[in-house]
Each structure stands twice: as structure tokens, then as C-alpha cells.
Amino acid sequence: MSNYAARRAAMVENQLRARGIWDERVLGAMGAVPREEFVPRRLRHRAYADSALPIGGEQTISQPWIVAAICQELALTGGERVLEVGTGSGYSAAVLALLAAEVISIERDPELARAARRTLARLAVANVHLELGDGSLGDFERAPFEAIAVHAAAPGPPPALVDQLGDGGRLVVPLLEEGEEMLVALHRHGERMTRATIAPCRFVPLIGEGGFAEA
Ligand code: SAH
């Protein structure tokens, strides 16, 4: 087993399974995606650390546990079309690509989008469609989605994303409300939405029409 593969296996057991991630498909995907390929070269030795890491442009690749928690909450079975907002390094897109049929991933930063596209191509991830733009508006033309994952904190559920969520679908989004940041799951039942809180979290802000104004 390579050094990275051994660290990845340890991450799955110690950071994920031991801390409430039980979905075997999610554990399998987290154990399969080479996280070291998505972090800057000088930080590769920390690729399997229990933390977020900088990826440039003041952005971060999320902590492994939070990526797994988002994926588990989406309850994917393999046939879904998923919308992801905040591609960043492309790491979470690569994990989602193993859990669903198709991933539409939107990133607003052109440099990050370019780098993510290169990494995903190098790893031959074929079912991720990367788009450049304001993901807080979703992708009207490709809606509805069976699942939506947002990787940046919003002041409230972005209305366009709620609209583009198909019946029975789940939207997972970090919400910054009254100074507290919480990862929240919204579940659509026809016109009715239910809401569940997953865990406290810390994300970079969602910048856009359905998020915060640029500082
Ligand atoms: N999931 C990523 C980490 C994302 S960090 C990974 O695995 O590496 C959050 C990302 O959201 C940043 O790259 C930031 O540029 C992006 N972002 C912020 N607001 C956005 C918006 N409105 N639309 C699309 N991307 C956005």
C-alpha cells in the first residue's frame, strides 16, 4: 500500500467512521479519491490532516469529515444528477462523482475552476461538468436536481437553489444565521420543505445573488 493509500484508509476509519459517518458508499468514495492530488504540492504531506487546507485565492479544500457529512446527508444511491456549488479544488466533486450519475459543479473563481478542471481530467473523472459562474443562482437549464450541495456559507437557503430542487430532493447548505454557522439539510416533499441541522461548521462565504455581496 502506498503511503497516501495508508493515510487515506486511516482517515476513513479515524476521522469518518469513528465520528458518525456510516454510509458505506460514502466511506468507499472517501477511501478512493486521492485527496493529495487536490491540494497544493507544498501541502501534500498534510493532505489527510483532519482539517481544511488553503488552495489559493483565499479559498480552502474542506475538511474530510465535512465533505463526507454533506455527501451522506444527500442520501445518494447512484442514479442522481447532483448540483454542486463551490467546486474549489474539485475534491468534493470527485467524491460526488463516485456517488451519483452526474455532477454539475459551479465555481465563481476562474483560476480555481481551471485548476479543478485540469485535476479532474488528469484523474479521468468523466461525469463532472464544471461551469464558471454564480452558483447561488443554480443552473436553471439543467434543473431540477435530485440533490444539491453548497460548499460556501449563505445568509439563508438561496431561493434559486430551493426552486431547482426536485421532489424528494435534498439541499445541503451551510447557513450563517445570527452569528452561528450550521450545516443544514433541506428536504423537499412537494411544495413542503423540512429542515434538519447537521453540525456546526466553518465555510468561506457564498458570494453572489443568492449569497453575500462581495466585500
Ligand atoms: N468543495 C471544495 C471547497 C470549496 S470552498 C473542495 O472540495 O475543494 C468554497 C468555494 O466556493 C470557493 O472555491 C469559492 O470560490 C466558491 N464560491 C463562493 N461563492 C460562489 C458562488 N456564488 N458560486 C460558485 N462558487 C462560489
Side-chain angles (χ1 to χ4, degrees), residues 34-50:
R35 188 170 159 91
E36 69 278 8
E37 299 287 339
F38 294 87
V39 305
R41 201 168 292 276
R42 65 188 165 79
L43 290 177
R44 284 201 174 166
H45 63 289
R46 287 175 59 200
Y48 294 94
D50 189 12

Side-chain angles (χ1 to χ4, degrees), residues 93-110:
V95 175
L96 286 168
L98 292 176
L99 297 170
E102 189 184 8
V103 181
I104 314 297
S105 185
I106 311 179
E107 171 57 52
R108 73 185 286 272
D109 181 317

Side-chain angles (χ1 to χ4, degrees), residues 66-209:
I66 207 87
V67 175
I70 291 173
C71 290
Q72 177 165 279
E73 205 57 39
L74 292 176
L76 301 168
T77 61
E80 296 87 355
R81 191 146 54 116
V82 179
L83 175 68
E84 167 174 79
V85 178
T87 316
S89 67
Y91 173 70
S92 52
V95 175
L96 286 168
L98 292 176
L99 297 170
E102 189 184 8
V103 181
I104 314 297
S105 185
I106 311 179
E107 171 57 52
R108 73 185 286 272
D109 181 317
E111 295 276 314
L112 289 176
R114 200 172 310 133
R117 187 169 279 128
R118 256 199 315 269
T119 307
L120 293 169
R122 191 171 69 234
L123 297 176
V125 178
N127 55 336
V128 174
H129 303 280
L130 234 155
E131 295 174 9
L132 186 62
D134 179 2
S136 73
L137 296 173
D139 183 340
F140 180 74
E141 290 183 356
R142 288 187 155 111
F145 299 97
E146 288 151 293
I148 303 179
V150 183
H151 299 285
L161 300 185
V162 174
D163 282 351
Q164 292 174 25
L165 188 62
D167 195 11
R170 293 164 199 255
L171 162 63
V172 178
V173 55
L175 297 182
L176 189 57
E177 295 173 325
E178 293 164 19
E180 303 266 333
E181 198 171 324
M182 275 286 173
L183 190 62
V184 166
L186 300 173
H187 195 173
R188 177 182 287 289
H189 316 267
E191 290 303 299
R192 204 166 58 84
M193 302 289 292
T194 56
R195 173 175 168 155
T197 296
I198 306 165
C201 57
R202 240 191 110 71
F203 281 85
V204 299
L206 180 74
I207 308 290
E209 273 194 48

